[in-house]
Amino acid sequence: MKKHWHELAAGEVERLLSSNASAGLTSLEADKQLAVHGFNELKEKPRETLWQKFVNQFKDFLVLILIAASLISVLVGEVTDSIVIIAIVLLNALLGVFQEAKAEKALAALKEMTAPNSKVLRDGEITIIPSKLLVPGDVVLLEAGDYIPGDLRFIESHNVKVQEASLTGESVPVEKSTDPVGSTASLADRHNMGFMSTVVTYGRGKGIVVGTGMQTEIGKIAEMLQSVEEDSSPLQKKLAEFGKMLGVLCLFVCALVFGLGVYSGYSDGVLEMAEVQLMLMTSISLAVAAIPEGLPTVVTIVLALGMQRMAKKNSIMKKLHAVETLGSISVICSDKTGTLTQNQMTVVKAFTLERMIDLSGEGYDPKGEFFRDGSTVDLSEEQDLAFLLKGSSLCNDAQLKQASDTGAWHIVGDPTEGALVVAAAKGGYIQSKLTADYPRIQELPFDSTRKMMTTFHHMEGRDLAFTKGAPDILLSRCTHIAVNGSIHPLTPQERNSIAVANQEMASHALRVLAVAYRAWDSIPDAPNAAEVEEQLIFIGLLGMIDPPRLEVRDAVAVCRSAGIRPIMITGDHPDTALAIAKDLGIASQSSLAITGSQLDTLSPAELQQLVQTASVFARVSPEHKMAIIDALRSNGQIVAMTGDGVNDAPALKKADIGVAMGITGTDVTKETADMVVADDNFATIVSAVEEGRVIYANIRKFVYFLLSCNASEILVILFAILLGWPIPLLPIQLLWINLVTDAFPALALGVEKKEPNVMKLKPRNPAEPLLTWKLQVMIGIQSLAMAVTVLGAFKYGLYAYEGDLGVARTFAFITLITTQVICAFAARSEHYSVFQLGFFSNKYLNAGAALSLFLLLLSVYGPLHVIFKTIEPGLNEWLFLLALSPLPFLATELTKLVLRLSTKEDSQVTNSIAK
Ligand code: ATP
């Protein structure tokens, strides 16, 4: 019988899969395997085809009303009307399909951008490949925060722990080893196996892939996981409900119009069937025209297009709802290293007891010299310094590499560690030689709660453990010190001078790491941090610069003017943090940094008070981030929080917007986050907030435009009936208006450029309704003005052309379309006059308006005019109608001006926010 992978020895697995634990597969072999096994993907539910999408359009309640209307038209003998209605239904459906397909494509492209990668050995080199290309036999390197990309057999495990709850239900992370396990072991007991889509929460390891795609354990149950979660934003849900409510309201008004119409027809004694038919058709068409059935689709497409635009600027939105929440963000909590700073570290100072040494050189180029008081240092005379450099390069997972073509040096791994490798190389200690001479036997990986890491080595006949980490923490674990090679207990004075040196470097914005060691009789099999990282012998400190990102200073200023408070939350030393925060404008000159241990002493109420003013939190652990978010949110703030490490995931989940780092972020944080910042840059978060505000404002613009247009159509018919006038618009005309004016200008408003004050307004209160009172006033005035103008044109037509209904209706028809098209320009801003923005500066709206006007001309001239029962207006008629058409636009612009003048202070950020 065939044996299971977990029963076999690691070497046997390697042999069976023709792999090589230290070199991985060759590219050739990997390609061959890929051809046999296919992509490492779980089968997805088949997508809806275009045809299915098209058919779904007809399931809409409103479309069913239209179809009913066309049937009624046939029954009452209005065959042309019926054909036109059906044509409109088809056109609407096609537009719907097109919009849905486009939105879906945009979202799929975004998903692709955050598709996971794997670190594998190929042709003897560490290579990052898309996890999709993983094949059986690949050797995968894993560390804390990684998703396991396929099923694999561990061949190396340094305290690897894996969270397998999703597969086995086991809630505690399971420790992994490399020894064979009995054949009958259940999934949960296969301690030498890693399973696809479980998460490494601790440690470092290596495994050979034994199964990919549907051949994995998760693949076997993938059928159960097929239900892809459809994420719709609160705004979409609100709008869908709002649309339904409006729909019912419209139906009610239309029934009223029908009743009133029939009643007024009856009041002159005779009720003609034709009149009832006309009223029936009018109210049905009115319902169709007035119900904003396109709203949810337009919102989806605007959100999806917005997300695409944001992705081009490095912010990848993972959840649709995040786009609108972004506009409400009032606090951005950011990590320091890599987000506010460049994460390009260079060691510039080294300290061993009472000796401060400077290092020259730039970037990762391992060329540079050591100086003390201006003169070059001879390393052979500096035993402690040499030991410090060696220890920091050995207790290290980064690698220094040189590009074969350009000769440029770069780091594979953490830049902090990379800087240490470079510093050691400047002193002549080349990492590859060091690790060959003194191989690593055991290790305790770095984690941001302990803020330390330890590795064990055989070194010149001794077993040594090197520990490096945050100086304040590491120093408290040191009992001795090495001075000129000899060891003695640390005196209080020595402790003090180390602390002073640390503080001195930190206050100059240097990131400082301490290195210590301890000798062991024998290296423990399963080292435990609490026992290993104590009674250490202090060696020295290394201080590195990490320059602030240049663009962040401006981004911080933009935040302040937009009513958003930036807060720095870092694991680094308070003095380093404060120096950088002051430089970037996050903290004022008199600000203090709050440390994690200070936070531990505060009650929730005290913390709530503190977070109102404190802007720098240092030496915090991921758990502190949770407490800070809680306190900020209890104060009513809407919080965006960045994170990169595996322990940051809960905080990202808790924040209103969890932001993961694209470069340094772990798979887990990227998966949990609402948004991934591809370039790790704080300034990118700020520009995403701006984009979020713009998108929300644009959604309001077209909602406002559509609602006022639809309301005006209802008012025109309702007023005419109340005034005892003939119906000013024929059913077919109403339907055409619905199609012509709604869709194109509304879509164009959805991609309006940002308004100049977008980052000068306070964050939007999330409780604020979409239709604020101001917007309601504007909708009311605009729709009323439109209705009055249209009725005016209609009445004039009747009067001037001696009761010729054909002319009067043509006048009403043309005026309604032209007023709506012109009003679309006013809808471009709630705050500014469209003339301030540049009347024709939205080229999409220009095109949309031109298209609407072209379709209008098409419906009054040429063969179509028979269908629309319009007459062909001459020059005089046009002059009259065009003079009338801008009136509602002017009314709207005037309303905006009055509202702007009366509520100016209300909307602007008046008080600058406390630093
Ligand atoms: P931020 O939270 O802003 O990203 P950070 O990188 O300093 O800043 P952590 O990664 O939590 O935050 O690190 C906390 C501290 O641990 C650092 O200030 C440093 O002193 C120490 N440290 C960081 N990386 C290592 C490492 N690879 N090995 C040992 N100690 C480290």
Side-chain angles (χ1 to χ4, degrees), residues 336-337 414 417 446 448 451 468-470 511 570-572 619:
K336 170 182 72 70
T337 312
D414 176 14
E417 298 202 330
F446 171 75
S448 50
K451 299 182 173 48
K468 75 176 194 311
R511 179 175 172 81
T570 175
D572 214 337
R619 281 284 184 254

Side-chain angles (χ1 to χ4, degrees), residues 501-781:
N502 177 30
Q503 200 170 10
E504 164 71 17
M505 288 194 260
S507 59
H508 284 91
L510 295 190
R511 179 175 172 81
V512 191
L513 248 62
V515 184
Y517 80 103
R518 181 174 166 183
W520 290 79
D521 294 337
S522 67
I523 293 174
D525 282 340
N528 166 321
E531 287 164 17
V532 168
E533 288 166 345
E534 62 163 345
Q535 295 177 36
L536 304 177
I537 304 160
F538 181 85
I539 312 173
L541 303 174
L542 291 158
M544 53 196 94
I545 46 163
D546 177 18
R549 285 179 181 269
L550 296 176
E551 59 281 24
V552 168
R553 209 165 292 140
D554 287 342
V556 167
V558 170
C559 276
R560 291 198 183 286
S561 75
I564 301 167
R565 192 150 68 91
I567 293 182
M568 177 195 279
I569 304 185
T570 175
D572 214 337
H573 191 278
D575 290 345
T576 312
L578 203 56
I580 290 178
K582 284 180 184 170
D583 186 15
L584 291 173
I586 291 175
S588 70
Q589 288 311 317
S590 58
S591 300
L592 294 175
I594 312 295
T595 61
S597 35
Q598 282 170 311
L599 287 180
D600 289 334
T601 63
L602 298 179
S603 70
E606 285 167 330
L607 181 58
Q608 211 175 314
Q609 176 78 22
L610 180 80
V611 294
Q612 290 181 2
T613 49
S615 293
V616 180
F617 294 88
R619 281 284 184 254
V620 293
S621 303
E623 303 79 61
H624 291 124
K625 288 190 171 182
M626 303 281 280
I628 295 170
I629 296 184
D630 276 339
L632 284 165
R633 296 191 74 204
S634 316
N635 285 340
Q637 305 289 353
I638 310 292
V639 187
M641 164 82 79
T642 69
D644 45 17
V646 59
N647 302 335
D648 286 336
L652 294 197
K653 219 178 221 165
K654 190 149 221 177
D656 295 282
I657 299 264
V659 185
M661 295 299 131
I663 305 170
T664 53
T666 47
D667 291 352
V668 184
T669 48
K670 287 188 206 164
E671 188 62 30
T672 322
D674 302 294
M675 164 181 167
V676 178
V677 178
D679 60 355
D680 288 16
N681 192 342
F682 177 81
T684 305
I685 307 173
V686 179
S687 66
V689 169
E690 179 177 284
E691 199 64 56
R693 287 185 175 198
V694 172
I695 292 172
Y696 192 84
N698 287 353
I699 290 177
R700 279 166 65 111
K701 284 171 200 174
F702 69 69
V703 169
Y704 148 57
F705 171 68
L706 284 181
L707 290 190
S708 43
C709 287
N710 292 358
S712 71
E713 288 155 25
I714 294 191
L715 290 180
V716 166
I717 306 288
L718 193 66
F719 286 165
I721 292 175
L722 291 177
L723 291 168
W725 296 359
I727 301 299
L729 292 159
L730 288 173
I732 206 147
Q733 294 171 340
L734 276 172
L735 292 171
W736 185 246
I737 290 171
N738 181 38
L739 188 76
V740 167
T741 44
D742 280 10
F744 304 113
L747 272 177
L749 286 173
V751 290
E752 182 68 42
K753 281 204 270 305
K754 69 172 179 187
E755 294 180 40
N757 68 345
V758 63
M759 289 305 262
K760 299 234 157 43
L761 299 173
K762 278 187 211 161
R764 175 174 51 81
N765 175 357
E768 178 189 280
L770 182 72
L771 294 183
T772 52
W773 69 266
K774 268 202 240 171
L775 219 51
Q776 290 178 25
V777 168
M778 283 166 64
I779 292 175
I781 290 185

